[in-house]
Amino acid sequence: MQPTLVAVAHGSRDPRAPHAVEALLDRVRELRPRLDVRLGHIELNRPLLGDALREVSGAAVLVPLLLGRGHHVKRDLPASAARAAHLRTRIAAPLGPHPLLVEALYDRLLEAGWTPGAAVVLAAAGSRDPDSAADTRRSAALLSERLGGVAVVAAYACAAAPTVPDAVRALAARGHHRVAVASYFTAPGRFATQCAAAAPGAAAAPLGAHPALARLVLRRYDAALAASTAGDQRELATA
């Protein structure tokens, strides 16, 4: 049997967030009907990740529905996996950066009314981890390429600089008077709403159940399995 895919969402007090995540996972299930796909939250929503893992047997791949490396990916997920001693677990890479993620960002911007030539602020939650900021900047660079080379600046709701309003002002000072905000969030929540409110023009919706995001979840799952198989083969070769 294939290992269970356990999607790991952050959790939010926004009642729309769990519905958005479940809609995304429904798309994943449509793409791979025989795969057991489950959901666990790091905090705030049920099921919590630990509870979800207790319901799984055999093996599982934890796929973080997070957009970069940070404390949750580096610390919380490995700790949860270690506590699930009854399982063989692998942890996939976070969703970003990746071209499929950029496709979802591009579509959400178009839906919001972005027009060619307008600069973009890529609004993310923010983290004190430098790897997380590097991942967001890389996604901003990829999005800039996808938009034909327009200026795309990474900005944050907390814990890192610049803020979204500061990024908007900096772009205006550079002569960019049409600025849209791209939502670097998988689901609605306080930070996503806060960032959208700072947009002087178009404000894209969170990524939600975008088809490209569903394909990306499976890409991360498959890559983690492939890495696991390669590691097992190396161990056999050196035994």
Side-chain angles (χ1 to χ4, degrees), residues 56-201:
V56 177
S57 60
V61 176
L62 278 60
V63 180
L65 303 181
L66 305 170
L67 303 181
R69 296 166 292 170
H71 181 83
H72 294 311
V73 171
K74 293 181 178 180
R75 301 285 186 270
D76 293 339
L77 269 64
S80 294
R83 287 192 291 269
H86 65 293
L87 280 176
R88 299 186 305 279
T89 56
R90 291 283 174 175
I91 300 174
L95 298 183
H98 193 279
L100 283 171
L101 182 58
V102 171
E103 283 305 307
L105 288 167
Y106 174 76
D107 284 349
R108 292 291 186 243
L109 277 168
L110 291 181
E111 292 166 2
W114 176 86
T115 54
V120 173
V121 173
L122 182 62
S127 170
R128 292 183 178 85
D129 190 308
D131 287 336
S132 178
D135 289 342
T136 305
R137 289 194 300 270
R138 176 59 180 156
S139 289
L142 291 171
L143 181 59
S144 175
E145 293 174 11
R146 183 65 181 86
L147 296 175
V150 302
V152 178
V153 176
Y156 308 94
C158 71
T163 65
V164 174
D166 286 345
V168 169
R169 285 190 288 269
L171 284 167
R174 290 160 49 189
H176 298 284
H177 301 297
R178 291 189 297 131
V179 180
V181 170
S183 185
Y184 203 53
F185 298 91
T186 54
R190 178 169 62 91
F191 285 162
T193 301
Q194 170 186 321
C195 292

